[in-house]
Amino acid sequence: MSAAGSTTALVVGAGIGGITAALDIANSGFPVVLVEREPSIGGHMAQLSETFPTLDCSQCIMTPRTVEVGHHDLVRLHTYSEIESVRRSDSGGFVVGIRRRAAYVDWDKCTGCGVCQEKCPFKVESAFERGIGPRKVIYTLSPQAVPNKPVLDAEHCRYLQSKWDMQAGRIPSVDKQGQPASPKCGACAKLCPTGALNWDQQDTLVEEEVGAVILATGYDLLPASRLPEYGGGELKDVVDGLAFERLLAASGPTAGKVLRPSDGAVPKHVVFVQCSGSRDPERGVPYCSKICCLYVAKQAMLYKHRVPDGEASVFYIDVRAGGKGYEEFVTRAQEEHHVRYLRGKVSRIYSQDGRLIVKGVDTLSHRAVEVQADLVVLATAIVPRVSTPAVAGLFGVAADGNGFLVSGDEEMAPVESGAEGVFLAGAALGPKDIPETVAQASGAAAKVLSLFLRRRMLETTAPAGEGMRAA
Amino acid sequence: MRVVLDPLALHGAFIREIEAISEQNLLACNQCGRCSAGCPLVEEMDLLPNQIIRPAQLGLDTVVDSTSPWLCAACLMCEARCPKGVDLPRIMDALRQIALRRGESRVVAGDVDPALLAGAPQMAIVGALRRGEK
Amino acid sequence: MTEAGRAYSYFPGCTLATTAVDYDVSGRAVAAALGLELNEVPDWNCCGAAFPLSADNVMSFIAPARVLIAAERSGHDLATLCAVCFHVLKRSDAYLRTHSEAAERLNAFITEGDYTGRTRVRHLLGVVRDDVGWEAVKQRVAAPLTGLAAAPYYGCLLLRPQEEMEFDQAERPRVLQDLLRALGATPVEFPRQAECCGSTLVVSAPGANRRLSTAVVDSARLAGAAMIVTACPLCKYNLDQAQAGRPSPEQLPVAYFTQVMAAAFGLLEVAGPAFAVEAST
């Protein structure tokens, strides 16, 4: 550490944006602290099957980067962690307190063999699988998880809950014979070859001093339950875009077969509803979510690949395809794959006789239409993550009325926050696709490198201790 | 058919009349069609609800002759779901008012089916007359 | 709940006073059974039967304004049973609160008093849910309606527009389902529970009206309902008429929610023919 300030970077969020920024900075020779609240890195891109417009396998293009960042000598990766406190350091950087949640697994002992997850007898709903499939109580997010070390979901763990109940006297801690009672289950601990289960593990707190920070906390989807008139949150066969990705993904709960969540049947007619909650100042969000027109075209095409005799219909208001190759991509879906595009916002979706009735309209032919679907995919609005405003606030970054982070100058300096040493990238700023996210991440990384290089220059041109601050 | 759009009509009397009666900004409608998708009477209408608004947005008063406002049951489903908060029932009523002011009554008290007069809840008759009588 | 909250101004409306008097009678009976005091608004007039949608005619608000003025004198909330009256009065009240010049002109014209917007307009079903509570309703049940598969039919005007009606969630209404469960019956969910019966098109477009009402009835039957429960005399009329040509065994009885409550409370004399049939089988 020099008087000019730390030249370690902090990147908050390890989706494709955070990973890209971390690699750009680390590969330039500066250390990076990378913090991610999920057990492993990759963000939503890790949930995707293929990406538009190339139809590259998402895991295939991402894994080289996740592996690189997971093994990089200059990257300190804190997963299952959150920023808890921030204060300015004396040299214009930050001292951050990072809380790493108790995983109840000692990752230093764990080899990632996966026996615990395989043998855990209990399944719960998996947020990663978006309602399509379950996970075990002790789990990794995917087989390619980086780090490939599991965490234990204490809330649903029989062993921990019964152990804590006994400790608190809520249930008896001796059995009928007067012997000490054992907590229930504990299968993972019994089977772990390295004894990595640690039932007494606590949250840990670390402090890191950093010279600059990049906020890349990403996005979430509007919960489908906000759309009751579409059966969102109620009808099993009405799912959102990320859930459909899990159906398409080879590593997903159905091994890439498109099956109805309700009965496992192959849907012969899938209806995609764009603008589910977007462009809806009255009852949703006022803005356009930017990526849905493209990912719906992608998902419709992939569905037609998997189920060649199936029908795919898309209800849209406009098709927004401004990126490179995007217009051609959508045209391919329409003209070559016969995805039927109907112009009109769906009024209502309900269930009847095991099918989903979609009440829509095709304004171009001036017809109200009713479509009977087997599966409906709602392209729900992109929204900020619930946790983003709080962590951004710790660094003095504000969110706008929609909860997206505000740049210092939206037009001319979108990756700068306006606060010294704080930069922004990716969907935390607003809906965007992967190429834009990666570009912004590299842009933010370049800003960080520029700041660090100026600090280094100041350090070498001025005597230390004269109190010169980095520009 | 081709229409020469008269710039004056875009700010003209017809739009102003609808907007004064309905207190709605016609330009708020982006023709998403959700109103038409959920309207229970589209089966009988000659023009879809969103189709009624479009010519009006361009200042064309051709829609005054449409049967659609007279088939509107004022069920308010369109207004409940419009993403832009356009109160379409009020626009429909404005069109009814304009049609009545320009032409004849659509519901005439003397022509009401006697069976209805005998047995129907009178609010149905009063309501229909209030909507359809000059 | 204090006793003070149990007295209401009551507006029957024209239809409940005449062609739908069974709704009024059963309503008063179940209100009394629940300890609710309903004081009929003195010298009331027709609410107008249609919420005026045209802004340039203030005089179309005279009828509902006069009712609201009469109700203000009592100092109590105004309760009504007819869904159309509820809709007209509630929205007129909301309109006059936000359009002070219209309220001023009406006040200048109407001699019996001034509209000040003090009175809260409510529907009796909302009063039962919010002021009485389902527990108290359950306690009053003498003959639980076990095994009655009843389709709750809301129609349009009770629910929409949601923010103005302040009655229930328009897309997922629950109050009739909750009432039916409190009475021991089984609510049947069906897709058309909040779709239009045809309303006043019974006069001006009877074919379209018949199509809509028939669709509602068929939707309820398809879902397994043995009865349709409603809160609007026009809905009841339309749904009854849609079935009039069908053989009796195929008809679904349509009852007011107050008649269903009366049956559960053991007040069979006001529960109407739907329950007379039930009682005799």
Side-chain angles (χ1 to χ4, degrees), chain C residues 36-96:
Chain C
L36 300 172
E37 191 186 308
L38 298 181
N39 301 309
E40 195 168 323
V41 174
D43 191 29
W44 56 264
N45 53 271
C46 171
C47 70
F51 174 63
L53 295 165
S54 312
D56 64 347
N57 183 4
V58 171
M59 294 299 124
S60 59
F61 282 97
I62 288 178
R66 207 174 157 276
V67 174
L68 293 169
I69 289 168
E72 279 195 29
R73 278 185 227 116
S74 74
H76 297 307
D77 286 354
L78 175 62
T80 184
L81 275 170
C82 169
V84 177
C85 299
F86 176 52
H87 186 91
V88 172
L89 292 172
K90 189 100 176 121
R91 295 192 72 191
S92 299
D93 184 51
Y95 185 87
L96 293 173

Side-chain angles (χ1 to χ4, degrees), chain C residues 61-176:
Chain C
F61 282 97
I62 288 178
R66 207 174 157 276
V67 174
L68 293 169
I69 289 168
E72 279 195 29
R73 278 185 227 116
S74 74
H76 297 307
D77 286 354
L78 175 62
T80 184
L81 275 170
C82 169
V84 177
C85 299
F86 176 52
H87 186 91
V88 172
L89 292 172
K90 189 100 176 121
R91 295 192 72 191
S92 299
D93 184 51
Y95 185 87
L96 293 173
R97 278 172 213 263
T98 52
H99 292 71
S100 52
E101 35 7 283
E104 273 164 34
R105 285 179 66 189
L106 284 171
N107 284 340
F109 187 77
I110 297 174
T111 54
E112 289 93 345
D114 274 0
Y115 167 82
T116 64
R118 262 197 332 240
T119 305
R120 212 171 120 205
V121 178
R122 315 199 35 207
H123 189 276
L124 200 71
L125 182 50
V127 169
V128 170
R129 175 192 58 202
D130 300 332
D131 297 2
V132 176
W134 302 127
E135 281 311 309
V137 169
K138 278 187 205 158
Q139 273 161 35
R140 198 54 192 77
V141 171
L145 303 172
T146 320
L148 173 62
Y153 179 60
Y154 291 87
C156 308
L157 303 180
L158 272 185
L159 299 173
R160 299 189 282 273
Q162 179 178 312
E163 327 72 53
E164 277 183 58
M165 297 311 294
E166 297 182 316
F167 181 70
D168 203 347
Q169 288 179 63
E171 295 291 1
R172 275 196 83 236
R174 301 286 92 194
V175 61
L176 277 174

Side-chain angles (χ1 to χ4, degrees), chain B residues 97-111:
Chain B
Q97 294 292 322
I98 293 170
L100 288 174
R101 291 171 197 185
R102 292 187 188 191
E104 301 304 315
S105 290
R106 296 298 196 277
V107 182
V108 176
D111 292 344

